[in-house]
Amino acid sequence: MKKFGVNFKLVLASQIISLLGGNILNFALSLFILDFTQSVGTFASIMAISQIPVILLSLVGGIIADRMDKKKLIIVFDAIKAMICIALLAIFLTGTYSVVNLALVMVAFMSVVTLFAPVLSSATPSIVKSDILVEANGAMGMINSVGDLLAVLIGGVLFATIGIQNIIILTGFAFSISTVIDLFIKIPHVKKIAEFGAIKTAALDVKESFLFTIKKSPFVLKASFFFALIAFLFVPIMAIALPFIMRVSFGVSDTMFGVSQALPGVGMLLGGMLSGVFKKWLDVKYFSRFVLFITSLTAVLAVSVHTPLFGGATTIPFWLFNIAMMFIMMIFVFLNITVMSRIQTEVPKEYLGKIIAVFMTITSFATPIGQYVFGQSMELFAGNMSMLFASIVVLTVGISVVAKMIFNPKKTEVQDIQLCHATSR
């Protein structure tokens, strides 16, 4: 931690508080909506709708990240989260909550999170040395994992004891503390003079981002395509299948539901902690092998939801499902750190926010589609959920083949970077 410096430590401190508050709020709202609707189709649709801002606003986040003061943006976004909590509290206090306005609140919150993501990612290379980017991204991944882990552990207890309204108050307070910490962060900023109006400047930035990605950074397109496939299949498992299977199919208690939400967070934490240890393996040429590992773990998921195999018992399938999810999330962290570190190293800083946003935009298109399709598929396969997961096993084998093709180990990282530099001249 000493090598990161004061600024990055402040960022980590702010993020653990902000992420913890945000994740607790998301967890509690998801649990409330699932109990409120008792419909996997409705629940999946709301989760899909909440991902729309990721598609629409990622590029906007990248543009403002490259053109505006990142410190000010971080402060403003954390403050807006606190204000969203105030609005949400008013909805519950007046008893006017509904599927529609709760979905709108989730959309508003995800909008802020989406705008914030490229700002934070593009700021990291400015406050840490290039030779410790992998470790810095690993530390950020650990913070995300700790936020996820503590959120579900604490959120499950809080939801069962103090209720949704008090949770909203606590998370709003957390965002306020995070905003205060943001005031002390120092992030270098070089002001850019816009030659045109805001709309034309934004349009030119978007065009420039895609042209740069296509002509000078082919790796981003490859990685985006790969992660889009992964997101289509596995984000719905985490966001839709896991809570529904645990809450409805297995009928677990609030405490065990919290455990089921925590174990994937443990996997993410392990991924962040072990990223430095396995640094030499975090290379794109190993992507296909990682996907094959995910395939075997998905087979475990298929077995765990095959109810006739366990004679109606839920203890063994509960642990099989959740431990498999834990290791799947650990691998996802490895893959994400590998890609983000490569992008941060390969792309010039003046383009970094926009290029990260391009990556997020392309991959995010698959998420709401996957959530909607998965929700409808779960209703279709309600009597035989194992067939749905068996189908995913087959598809992940295909993704492994795709990964082998698009991340050809004969094309080394050095060659890709040389190509990027040669094209930029």
Side-chain angles (χ1 to χ4, degrees):
M1 287 291 289
K2 291 182 179 179
K3 57 187 174 183
F4 289 147
V6 175
N7 278 329
F8 193 67
K9 290 178 183 178
L10 287 172
V11 171
L12 293 179
S14 173
Q15 280 306 289
I16 186 61
I17 296 172
S18 180
L19 282 170
L20 182 60
N23 290 339
I24 288 177
L25 183 61
N26 277 332
F27 174 80
L29 273 179
S30 298
L31 192 57
F32 181 85
I33 291 172
L34 185 57
D35 288 347
F36 181 54
T37 62
Q38 286 292 304
S39 167
V40 66
T42 303
F43 179 65
S45 297
I46 293 175
M47 294 298 104
I49 290 171
S50 69
Q51 293 300 311
I52 291 177
V54 181
I55 298 174
L56 299 179
L57 298 178
S58 291
L59 275 175
V60 177
I63 291 171
I64 63 176
D66 286 340
R67 289 194 170 273
M68 299 179 68
D69 191 320
K70 295 180 179 63
K71 174 181 175 177
K72 292 180 180 178
L73 289 173
I74 291 174
I75 294 171
V76 169
F77 289 146
D78 272 335
I80 292 176
K81 292 177 188 177
M83 289 187 283
I84 290 175
C85 286
I86 295 174
L88 183 60
L89 181 61
I91 291 174
F92 275 94
L93 288 176
T94 56
T96 56
Y97 60 84
S98 65
V99 171
V100 174
N101 58 25
L102 291 179
L104 289 175
V105 169
M106 295 189 74
V107 167
F109 188 79
M110 281 303 301
S111 297
V112 178
V113 171
T114 301
L115 292 171
F116 180 83
V119 175
L120 185 62
S121 296
S122 61
T124 302
S126 300
I127 52 181
V128 298
K129 296 179 180 179
S130 59
D131 59 342
I132 58 170
L133 266 179
V134 170
E135 289 84 351
N137 287 320
M140 193 62 70
M142 285 178 60
I143 292 299
N144 292 333
S145 305
V146 169
D148 288 336
L149 178 59
L150 292 179
V152 294
L153 291 174
I154 298 172
V157 174
L158 293 179
F159 188 81
T161 54
I162 67 175
I164 186 69
Q165 293 183 20
N166 289 317
I167 288 176
I168 295 170
I169 294 173
L170 288 175
T171 53
F173 184 65
F175 293 138
S176 299
I177 295 176
S178 180
T179 304
V180 172
I181 296 176
D182 294 339
L183 296 172
F184 299 94
I185 298 173
K186 295 180 180 179
I187 302 175
H189 172 62
V190 178
K191 188 175 182 179
K192 294 185 177 181
I193 305 299
E195 299 180 7
F196 309 101
I199 296 178
K200 186 173 181 179
T201 298
L204 289 174
D205 277 352
V206 170
K207 179 181 178 181
E208 184 181 32
S209 301
F210 279 102
L211 287 176
F212 184 93
T213 303
I214 294 170
K215 296 182 179 180
K216 303 179 183 179
S217 187
F219 171 78
V220 175
L221 284 180
K222 295 179 182 180
S224 300
F225 178 65
F226 173 79
F227 269 90
L229 292 174
I230 292 290
F232 179 82
L233 292 178
F234 286 95
V235 170
I237 294 179
M238 184 67 187
I240 306 299
L242 190 151
F244 183 82
I245 289 172
M246 295 300 119
R247 195 73 174 175
V248 179
S249 300
F250 290 172
V252 301
S253 65
D254 288 344
T255 301
M256 294 307 292
F257 183 75
V259 171
S260 73
Q261 296 287 292
L263 285 176
V266 172
M268 295 175 67
L269 180 60
L270 288 173
M273 292 174 62
L274 297 176
S275 60
V277 178
F278 295 106
K279 184 176 180 179
K280 67 177 182 179
W281 299 102
L282 301 185
D283 192 294
V284 294
K285 65 183 179 181
Y286 297 117
F287 271 17
S288 60
R289 299 180 187 180
F290 281 129
V291 177
L292 286 177
F293 191 18
I294 292 175
T295 302
S296 64
L297 292 169
T298 308
V300 175
L301 298 180
V303 170
S304 68
V305 296
H306 189 60
T307 52
L309 186 64
F310 302 97
T314 58
T315 302
I316 294 177
F318 172 88
W319 290 109
L320 281 176
F321 191 98
N322 287 289
I323 290 175
M325 282 301 304
M326 179 182 73
F327 284 108
I328 287 174
M329 296 310 297
M330 181 183 74
I331 297 172
F332 283 171
V333 171
F334 284 159
L335 296 176
N336 187 65
I337 290 174
T338 302
V339 170
M340 194 55 62
S341 299
R342 172 75 176 268
I343 292 175
Q344 289 171 338
T345 301
E346 179 177 310
V347 177
K349 290 181 180 179
E350 61 267 25
Y351 293 101
L352 190 54
K354 293 189 287 288
I355 300 306
I356 290 175
V358 169
F359 171 77
M360 292 175 59
T361 300
I362 295 174
T363 57
S364 64
F365 267 100
T367 300
I369 298 173
Q371 288 180 333
Y372 178 78
V373 171
F374 204 91
Q376 304 309 311
S377 299
M378 285 184 67
E379 290 193 335
L380 181 65
F381 287 92
N384 192 3
M385 203 75 71
S386 59
M387 288 297 296
L388 176 59
F389 285 94
S391 301
I392 297 175
V393 171
V394 175
L395 291 173
T396 52
V397 173
I399 292 178
S400 176
V401 174
V402 172
K404 185 75 173 179
M405 293 171 58
I406 65 177
F407 299 115
N408 189 342
K410 294 181 180 180
K411 187 176 182 180
T412 65
E413 179 177 345
V414 173
Q415 289 173 324
D416 276 348
I417 295 175
Q418 287 177 342
L419 175 62
C420 173
H421 288 170
T423 313
S424 63
R425 292 193 183 101

